[in-house]
Amino acid sequence: MAGKKKIETKPQENKASKFPKTLPLIVFKEIVMYPRLEAPFAIVDPKSLKAIEAAAGGDRFVFCVTAKTAAKEPGTSDLYRVGTIAKLVETIRQPDGSARAFLQGLERARITDFVKTAPSFEVAYETLAVPEAVKSERLEALMYSAASELKSAVELGAAVPFDSLLAIMNMTDANELGDLIAVNVDFKGAERQAILEASSAEEKLNLTVAALGRQIKILKVAQKIEEESGKEMGKMEKEMVLREQMKTIEKELGGISGTSEAEELRKKIEKAGMPAAVKEAALKELARLSTMPSFSPEISYIRTYLDWLLEIPWSKKDPAPVDIKKAQQILDDDHYGLDKVKERILEFLSVQKLTGKLRGPILCFAGPPGTGKTSIGKSIARALGRKFVRISLGGVRDEAEIRGFRRTYVGALPGRIIQGLCTAGTKNPVFMLDEIDKLGYDAFRGDPSSALLEALDPEQNYAFSDHYVESPVDLSDVMFITTANLLDPVPPALRDRMEVIEFPGYTEDEKFHIAKKYLVPKELEANGLNGKPVTISDDTLRVIIGSYTREAGVRNLEREIGTVCRKAARVQAEDGVKKKNIVPDDLEKMLGGKRFRPTMAEKKDEIGVVTGLAWTEAGGEILPIEVNKMPGSGRLILTGNLGQVMQESAQAAFSYARALAARLKIKEPFYKNSDVHIHVPQGAIPKDGPSAGVAMATALVSVITGTAIRRGVAMTGEVTLRGNALEIGGVKEKVLAAHRSGIRTVILPKDNEKDLDEVPAKVREAMHFVFAATMRDVLKTALVKPLKNV
């Protein structure tokens, strides 16, 4: 200080005529308000907005202070105590709720007390004297140093408005010089606050020069980084020139020792067996790759594309010899039943053996879950000696999943079919498209089922187009197998391209053999009982099948057998039982009470009660149908949760019965004086279809004639108004259900005689079948007494 006393800042008493005793408080973050500063400020803090409103409604004076931290809602402890009294010149409200306030700095002041903290801050204060600027050589030197440092900062890139720079260079007031530099240069909030709180002009300028020095260091580092970045760019340009020179030298010398990456790729392309058009495209891309600088982003895209082209098996095949007997043995070993599927595969192999070449068939396995659709695909691949590839289409909604993404997209890939070929490594795998009926649809992403049309058409798939590969890929040697639970969701155009093989579900006898041959050994091994003295009797398996599962497939059966094995494994582990044969009496303890009980046939001949036959996904069922007649007004009442088709079938049966009544010379006009009620038990289960028409017509005739129906007869078939019996489906399942329920006579439509070939021989031998062309044939067998004039 050169022998001079340090100038202390002394508080001044508030002048009531100048400022109020308390003032609303505005809080800034990283911004410091100085005396003599006039500028607009954005006010966002809720309490500061309330303070603005209070000042605008009063004498328009506010106290401006800076927060120490970046807290969203600073408290009293987060605020500096020294600030500036300012006048609110103008306020503009913004659409987002904030405000733009034009403030004019007046005097420095210190907060002495917080009078209010809600809804806004209001403070008591004491004003501070202006730091005294005693003229001296040191003060002049500091002013010159501050202006010089500011000039250096501007030369290094500090953003200072030209008019502010001009004002600073011509400034003669030391205090104003420090404040103006602090406002216009990017100082820290703490540095600006220290400059505001300075007790003298010398202290203020010392702090300003120090802050400018720190800013100059930052600007120099930034300039150095920028220069190094420029050098790096120059290095890359130099590398590109050197690469070009190296290529020229290699060309002149006819190649150098060693093999370049481009040359290795060229050799792979030559050996890949690509078609001429694909090879030409690959070499063209390789030429582009060779001429690109190493820093080009396109290098990775082209390299990935070439890698995919090289991975596709353009000419590689599985040269498995065709052995019909071995293939049949494999199919029989892996699966019980499924004769139609096995027959179709053996036909395919036979033709391939005779001709030497055959385009792969497109098969569609349709049937309920758990019937072996997916697993037989693996067996087919093993029987053919080919690789097996499976992709699940469930929930796929994007066409690009099938056809691939165009190379213009970042991270583009080929579609699932091309990826599957690459996974198999051969051009003739067995390719399973699982759950084709569950393909999604998205209006913005295309229709994946339509994209499959080309792949599954033998007349087109020799030149399958993938968006990523951009060259035709031959899929004609691929054996495509699709699976579906339901055919209805599959678009007709796609269904037309496939040979559909139905999987109707397993009979109880088939389930028994599957369980004994495959499931029991599998579960015994999985639960550590393989080789242990634990066995499951045949009777036990039949009880599990009939009383603990009700399904078309065998998944639940496998789970139940697994539960039995786990229970047995626990007994073995705990007690070390030497030998255990699981019998039916053990099941209640292991699996609980029986869950399903078979519906049995009627025990006596009754009027108006007939046994119909139904088919469900879980197999066949007998369907008791009851008809009753009561006094009324001629209404036909239908109950039992019947669908629209079944209701119409009942109406047709009722019309037939009315017409027959006239021929039988029944005098009572039952259709006028009586209500007829048709009921199908188990009303909680929805029922539909036309095949109960014959049964309902028989029950109606039984009621109006008073003739009982034989209890040991079951029937199925659609009826017409003229009494014709029409063909229906599910014959195998319905006959098995009748056999299981103890019925030995079944009436079928005459046109269904051909379907008896599907019924097991043992069942056919044990039952009597009546093939009816009309209701006359039905009634002759079903009623206990024959009717005349039918």
Side-chain angles (χ1 to χ4, degrees), residues 1-31:
M1 292 289 182
K4 294 184 181 290
K5 287 185 178 181
K6 185 178 179 181
I7 300 173
E8 299 292 338
T9 302
K10 296 179 180 179
Q12 295 186 143
E13 293 183 2
N14 294 344
K15 299 176 182 177
S17 59
K18 194 171 185 182
F19 306 123
K21 291 183 179 180
T22 61
L23 290 172
L25 185 71
I26 295 178
V27 179
F28 293 122
K29 293 175 184 175
E30 291 294 321
I31 297 174

mmCIF file of all heavy atoms in Angstrom, residues 1-31:
data_model
loop_
_atom_site.group_PDB
_atom_site.id
_atom_site.type_symbol
_atom_site.label_atom_id
_atom_site.label_comp_id
_atom_site.label_asym_id
_atom_site.label_seq_id
_atom_site.Cartn_x
_atom_site.Cartn_y
_atom_site.Cartn_z
ATOM 1 N N MET A 1 0.817 -1.205 0.000
ATOM 2 C CA MET A 1 0.000 0.000 0.000
ATOM 3 C C MET A 1 0.853 1.258 0.000
ATOM 4 O O MET A 1 0.310 2.346 0.121
ATOM 5 C CB MET A 1 -0.933 -0.007 1.211
ATOM 6 C CG MET A 1 -2.016 -1.098 1.136
ATOM 7 S SD MET A 1 -3.235 -0.710 -0.101
ATOM 8 C CE MET A 1 -4.338 -2.076 0.110
ATOM 9 N N ALA A 2 2.203 1.173 0.019
ATOM 10 C CA ALA A 2 3.157 2.289 -0.066
ATOM 11 C C ALA A 2 2.968 3.274 1.069
ATOM 12 O O ALA A 2 2.905 4.466 0.892
ATOM 13 C CB ALA A 2 3.053 2.984 -1.413
ATOM 14 N N GLY A 3 2.837 2.729 2.291
ATOM 15 C CA GLY A 3 2.749 3.586 3.465
ATOM 16 C C GLY A 3 1.391 4.179 3.675
ATOM 17 O O GLY A 3 1.174 4.886 4.646
ATOM 18 N N LYS A 4 0.466 3.951 2.832
ATOM 19 C CA LYS A 4 -0.861 4.511 2.993
ATOM 20 C C LYS A 4 -1.704 3.553 3.811
ATOM 21 O O LYS A 4 -1.536 2.358 3.771
ATOM 22 C CB LYS A 4 -1.516 4.749 1.638
ATOM 23 C CG LYS A 4 -0.809 5.821 0.826
ATOM 24 C CD LYS A 4 -1.550 6.065 -0.440
ATOM 25 C CE LYS A 4 -0.817 7.124 -1.270
ATOM 26 N NZ LYS A 4 -0.928 8.435 -0.658
ATOM 27 N N LYS A 5 -2.663 4.098 4.599
ATOM 28 C CA LYS A 5 -3.566 3.269 5.368
ATOM 29 C C LYS A 5 -4.563 2.583 4.447
ATOM 30 O O LYS A 5 -4.985 3.146 3.465
ATOM 31 C CB LYS A 5 -4.320 4.136 6.389
ATOM 32 C CG LYS A 5 -3.457 4.594 7.543
ATOM 33 C CD LYS A 5 -4.313 5.337 8.543
ATOM 34 C CE LYS A 5 -3.478 5.780 9.740
ATOM 35 N NZ LYS A 5 -4.289 6.494 10.740
ATOM 36 N N LYS A 6 -4.918 1.353 4.889
ATOM 37 C CA LYS A 6 -5.932 0.627 4.143
ATOM 38 C C LYS A 6 -7.271 1.296 4.337
ATOM 39 O O LYS A 6 -7.643 1.620 5.456
ATOM 40 C CB LYS A 6 -5.994 -0.823 4.630
ATOM 41 C CG LYS A 6 -6.928 -1.691 3.827
ATOM 42 C CD LYS A 6 -6.908 -3.102 4.337
ATOM 43 C CE LYS A 6 -7.873 -3.949 3.544
ATOM 44 N NZ LYS A 6 -7.908 -5.329 4.014
ATOM 45 N N ILE A 7 -7.978 1.537 3.219
ATOM 46 C CA ILE A 7 -9.271 2.224 3.304
ATOM 47 C C ILE A 7 -10.335 1.214 3.678
ATOM 48 O O ILE A 7 -10.529 0.218 2.980
ATOM 49 C CB ILE A 7 -9.607 2.900 1.960
ATOM 50 C CG1 ILE A 7 -8.505 3.906 1.635
ATOM 51 C CG2 ILE A 7 -10.970 3.565 2.005
ATOM 52 C CD1 ILE A 7 -8.625 4.507 0.270
ATOM 53 N N GLU A 8 -11.002 1.397 4.817
ATOM 54 C CA GLU A 8 -12.061 0.498 5.269
ATOM 55 C C GLU A 8 -13.396 0.952 4.714
ATOM 56 O O GLU A 8 -13.658 2.153 4.587
ATOM 57 C CB GLU A 8 -12.136 0.481 6.809
ATOM 58 C CG GLU A 8 -10.878 -0.009 7.491
ATOM 59 C CD GLU A 8 -10.631 -1.473 7.239
ATOM 60 O OE1 GLU A 8 -11.587 -2.195 6.905
ATOM 61 O OE2 GLU A 8 -9.472 -1.911 7.356
ATOM 62 N N THR A 9 -14.262 -0.016 4.395
ATOM 63 C CA THR A 9 -15.605 0.315 3.928
ATOM 64 C C THR A 9 -16.500 0.497 5.129
ATOM 65 O O THR A 9 -16.683 -0.429 5.925
ATOM 66 C CB THR A 9 -16.155 -0.804 3.059
ATOM 67 O OG1 THR A 9 -15.252 -0.999 1.982
ATOM 68 C CG2 THR A 9 -17.529 -0.477 2.516
ATOM 69 N N LYS A 10 -17.029 1.689 5.288
ATOM 70 C CA LYS A 10 -17.870 1.968 6.441
ATOM 71 C C LYS A 10 -19.336 2.025 6.031
ATOM 72 O O LYS A 10 -19.670 2.578 4.998
ATOM 73 C CB LYS A 10 -17.477 3.318 7.051
ATOM 74 C CG LYS A 10 -16.056 3.312 7.608
ATOM 75 C CD LYS A 10 -15.704 4.658 8.179
ATOM 76 C CE LYS A 10 -14.269 4.667 8.744
ATOM 77 N NZ LYS A 10 -13.928 6.001 9.286
ATOM 78 N N PRO A 11 -20.192 1.406 6.871
ATOM 79 C CA PRO A 11 -21.627 1.459 6.551
ATOM 80 C C PRO A 11 -22.182 2.856 6.721
ATOM 81 O O PRO A 11 -21.717 3.628 7.551
ATOM 82 C CB PRO A 11 -22.247 0.483 7.555
ATOM 83 C CG PRO A 11 -21.275 0.418 8.691
ATOM 84 C CD PRO A 11 -19.928 0.652 8.135
ATOM 85 N N GLN A 12 -23.171 3.163 5.885
ATOM 86 C CA GLN A 12 -23.874 4.428 5.984
ATOM 87 C C GLN A 12 -25.272 4.170 6.532
ATOM 88 O O GLN A 12 -25.839 3.111 6.343
ATOM 89 C CB GLN A 12 -24.014 5.075 4.587
ATOM 90 C CG GLN A 12 -22.686 5.453 3.985
ATOM 91 C CD GLN A 12 -22.880 6.208 2.694
ATOM 92 O OE1 GLN A 12 -22.151 7.113 2.415
ATOM 93 N NE2 GLN A 12 -23.873 5.869 1.910
ATOM 94 N N GLU A 13 -25.819 5.148 7.220
ATOM 95 C CA GLU A 13 -27.182 5.008 7.716
ATOM 96 C C GLU A 13 -28.168 5.146 6.567
ATOM 97 O O GLU A 13 -27.962 5.922 5.652
ATOM 98 C CB GLU A 13 -27.472 6.083 8.764
ATOM 99 C CG GLU A 13 -26.652 5.919 10.047
ATOM 100 C CD GLU A 13 -27.033 6.972 11.073
ATOM 101 O OE1 GLU A 13 -27.938 7.773 10.772
ATOM 102 O OE2 GLU A 13 -26.425 6.975 12.149
ATOM 103 N N ASN A 14 -29.279 4.349 6.619
ATOM 104 C CA ASN A 14 -30.301 4.429 5.583
ATOM 105 C C ASN A 14 -30.999 5.769 5.651
ATOM 106 O O ASN A 14 -31.361 6.264 6.703
ATOM 107 C CB ASN A 14 -31.342 3.324 5.777
ATOM 108 C CG ASN A 14 -30.731 1.965 5.564
ATOM 109 O OD1 ASN A 14 -29.656 1.865 5.001
ATOM 110 N ND2 ASN A 14 -31.419 0.937 6.047
ATOM 111 N N LYS A 15 -31.147 6.366 4.502
ATOM 112 C CA LYS A 15 -31.864 7.626 4.424
ATOM 113 C C LYS A 15 -33.292 7.320 4.009
ATOM 114 O O LYS A 15 -33.529 6.811 2.938
ATOM 115 C CB LYS A 15 -31.207 8.540 3.407
ATOM 116 C CG LYS A 15 -29.759 8.884 3.780
ATOM 117 C CD LYS A 15 -29.094 9.716 2.699
ATOM 118 C CE LYS A 15 -27.636 9.996 3.065
ATOM 119 N NZ LYS A 15 -26.939 10.741 2.021
ATOM 120 N N ALA A 16 -34.213 7.637 4.912
ATOM 121 C CA ALA A 16 -35.610 7.286 4.668
ATOM 122 C C ALA A 16 -36.130 7.922 3.400
ATOM 123 O O ALA A 16 -36.956 7.360 2.704
ATOM 124 C CB ALA A 16 -36.471 7.706 5.861
ATOM 125 N N SER A 17 -35.578 9.090 3.055
ATOM 126 C CA SER A 17 -36.074 9.773 1.862
ATOM 127 C C SER A 17 -35.561 9.133 0.588
ATOM 128 O O SER A 17 -36.130 9.327 -0.481
ATOM 129 C CB SER A 17 -35.662 11.256 1.891
ATOM 130 O OG SER A 17 -34.237 11.347 1.945
ATOM 131 N N LYS A 18 -34.453 8.320 0.717
ATOM 132 C CA LYS A 18 -33.845 7.744 -0.484
ATOM 133 C C LYS A 18 -34.345 6.328 -0.772
ATOM 134 O O LYS A 18 -34.845 6.044 -1.851
ATOM 135 C CB LYS A 18 -32.335 7.761 -0.329
ATOM 136 C CG LYS A 18 -31.600 7.497 -1.635
ATOM 137 C CD LYS A 18 -30.121 7.745 -1.445
ATOM 138 C CE LYS A 18 -29.401 7.594 -2.779
ATOM 139 N NZ LYS A 18 -27.941 7.777 -2.612
ATOM 140 N N PHE A 19 -34.172 5.383 0.186
ATOM 141 C CA PHE A 19 -34.603 3.989 0.021
ATOM 142 C C PHE A 19 -35.452 3.573 1.212
ATOM 143 O O PHE A 19 -35.244 4.056 2.343
ATOM 144 C CB PHE A 19 -33.393 3.045 -0.073
ATOM 145 C CG PHE A 19 -32.400 3.425 -1.145
ATOM 146 C CD1 PHE A 19 -31.069 3.663 -0.827
ATOM 147 C CD2 PHE A 19 -32.816 3.531 -2.467
ATOM 148 C CE1 PHE A 19 -30.164 4.001 -1.805
ATOM 149 C CE2 PHE A 19 -31.897 3.863 -3.454
ATOM 150 C CZ PHE A 19 -30.577 4.109 -3.134
ATOM 151 N N PRO A 20 -36.364 2.613 1.009
ATOM 152 C CA PRO A 20 -37.134 2.069 2.138
ATOM 153 C C PRO A 20 -36.222 1.301 3.089
ATOM 154 O O PRO A 20 -35.112 0.893 2.733
ATOM 155 C CB PRO A 20 -38.138 1.133 1.473
ATOM 156 C CG PRO A 20 -38.160 1.515 0.031
ATOM 157 C CD PRO A 20 -36.807 2.068 -0.268
ATOM 158 N N LYS A 21 -36.726 1.047 4.326
ATOM 159 C CA LYS A 21 -35.922 0.329 5.315
ATOM 160 C C LYS A 21 -35.739 -1.150 4.942
ATOM 161 O O LYS A 21 -34.734 -1.750 5.282
ATOM 162 C CB LYS A 21 -36.586 0.439 6.694
ATOM 163 C CG LYS A 21 -36.533 1.838 7.264
ATOM 164 C CD LYS A 21 -37.134 1.874 8.662
ATOM 165 C CE LYS A 21 -37.060 3.279 9.256
ATOM 166 N NZ LYS A 21 -37.641 3.323 10.602
ATOM 167 N N THR A 22 -36.730 -1.731 4.312
ATOM 168 C CA THR A 22 -36.602 -3.130 3.838
ATOM 169 C C THR A 22 -36.885 -3.164 2.337
ATOM 170 O O THR A 22 -37.678 -2.360 1.829
ATOM 171 C CB THR A 22 -37.583 -4.065 4.565
ATOM 172 O OG1 THR A 22 -38.908 -3.639 4.299
ATOM 173 C CG2 THR A 22 -37.317 -4.074 6.073
ATOM 174 N N LEU A 23 -36.247 -4.134 1.680
ATOM 175 C CA LEU A 23 -36.390 -4.230 0.221
ATOM 176 C C LEU A 23 -36.645 -5.684 -0.192
ATOM 177 O O LEU A 23 -36.107 -6.626 0.431
ATOM 178 C CB LEU A 23 -35.114 -3.744 -0.487
ATOM 179 C CG LEU A 23 -34.806 -2.247 -0.422
ATOM 180 C CD1 LEU A 23 -33.427 -1.977 -1.002
ATOM 181 C CD2 LEU A 23 -35.851 -1.443 -1.179
ATOM 182 N N PRO A 24 -37.460 -5.901 -1.237
ATOM 183 C CA PRO A 24 -37.603 -7.264 -1.793
ATOM 184 C C PRO A 24 -36.282 -7.702 -2.427
ATOM 185 O O PRO A 24 -35.570 -6.888 -3.018
ATOM 186 C CB PRO A 24 -38.702 -7.118 -2.839
ATOM 187 C CG PRO A 24 -38.779 -5.674 -3.152
ATOM 188 C CD PRO A 24 -38.332 -4.926 -1.935
ATOM 189 N N LEU A 25 -35.978 -8.998 -2.302
ATOM 190 C CA LEU A 25 -34.669 -9.513 -2.700
ATOM 191 C C LEU A 25 -34.782 -10.298 -4.010
ATOM 192 O O LEU A 25 -35.624 -11.189 -4.155
ATOM 193 C CB LEU A 25 -34.126 -10.442 -1.603
ATOM 194 C CG LEU A 25 -32.706 -10.973 -1.811
ATOM 195 C CD1 LEU A 25 -31.690 -9.864 -1.627
ATOM 196 C CD2 LEU A 25 -32.424 -12.102 -0.825
ATOM 197 N N ILE A 26 -33.885 -9.991 -4.971
ATOM 198 C CA ILE A 26 -33.755 -10.749 -6.220
ATOM 199 C C ILE A 26 -32.449 -11.516 -6.158
ATOM 200 O O ILE A 26 -31.391 -10.951 -5.871
ATOM 201 C CB ILE A 26 -33.761 -9.817 -7.450
ATOM 202 C CG1 ILE A 26 -35.109 -9.109 -7.584
ATOM 203 C CG2 ILE A 26 -33.476 -10.605 -8.716
ATOM 204 C CD1 ILE A 26 -35.177 -8.149 -8.728
ATOM 205 N N VAL A 27 -32.541 -12.844 -6.453
ATOM 206 C CA VAL A 27 -31.364 -13.720 -6.374
ATOM 207 C C VAL A 27 -30.893 -14.063 -7.786
ATOM 208 O O VAL A 27 -31.693 -14.510 -8.629
ATOM 209 C CB VAL A 27 -31.711 -15.013 -5.606
ATOM 210 C CG1 VAL A 27 -30.493 -15.930 -5.544
ATOM 211 C CG2 VAL A 27 -32.185 -14.685 -4.201
ATOM 212 N N PHE A 28 -29.570 -13.838 -8.050
ATOM 213 C CA PHE A 28 -28.955 -14.225 -9.317
ATOM 214 C C PHE A 28 -28.016 -15.407 -9.095
ATOM 215 O O PHE A 28 -27.548 -15.636 -7.969
ATOM 216 C CB PHE A 28 -28.151 -13.059 -9.911
ATOM 217 C CG PHE A 28 -28.988 -11.885 -10.352
ATOM 218 C CD1 PHE A 28 -28.769 -10.613 -9.819
ATOM 219 C CD2 PHE A 28 -29.985 -12.052 -11.290
ATOM 220 C CE1 PHE A 28 -29.531 -9.547 -10.226
ATOM 221 C CE2 PHE A 28 -30.747 -10.979 -11.700
ATOM 222 C CZ PHE A 28 -30.531 -9.718 -11.166
ATOM 223 N N LYS A 29 -27.728 -16.148 -10.182
ATOM 224 C CA LYS A 29 -26.757 -17.246 -10.134
ATOM 225 C C LYS A 29 -25.652 -16.955 -11.141
ATOM 226 O O LYS A 29 -25.916 -16.793 -12.328
ATOM 227 C CB LYS A 29 -27.428 -18.575 -10.469
ATOM 228 C CG LYS A 29 -28.437 -19.015 -9.412
ATOM 229 C CD LYS A 29 -29.181 -20.264 -9.817
ATOM 230 C CE LYS A 29 -30.235 -20.606 -8.772
ATOM 231 N NZ LYS A 29 -31.075 -21.751 -9.157
ATOM 232 N N GLU A 30 -24.390 -16.855 -10.642
ATOM 233 C CA GLU A 30 -23.204 -16.576 -11.464
ATOM 234 C C GLU A 30 -23.220 -15.167 -12.056
ATOM 235 O O GLU A 30 -22.371 -14.821 -12.854
ATOM 236 C CB GLU A 30 -23.073 -17.612 -12.603
ATOM 237 C CG GLU A 30 -22.729 -19.022 -12.140
ATOM 238 C CD GLU A 30 -21.350 -19.117 -11.518
ATOM 239 O OE1 GLU A 30 -20.416 -18.468 -12.015
ATOM 240 O OE2 GLU A 30 -21.216 -19.824 -10.514
ATOM 241 N N ILE A 31 -24.217 -14.358 -11.723
ATOM 242 C CA ILE A 31 -24.305 -12.970 -12.209
ATOM 243 C C ILE A 31 -24.237 -12.054 -10.990
ATOM 244 O O ILE A 31 -24.883 -12.323 -9.970
ATOM 245 C CB ILE A 31 -25.613 -12.733 -12.992
ATOM 246 C CG1 ILE A 31 -25.661 -13.611 -14.240
ATOM 247 C CG2 ILE A 31 -25.770 -11.255 -13.356
ATOM 248 C CD1 ILE A 31 -26.963 -13.546 -14.986
#
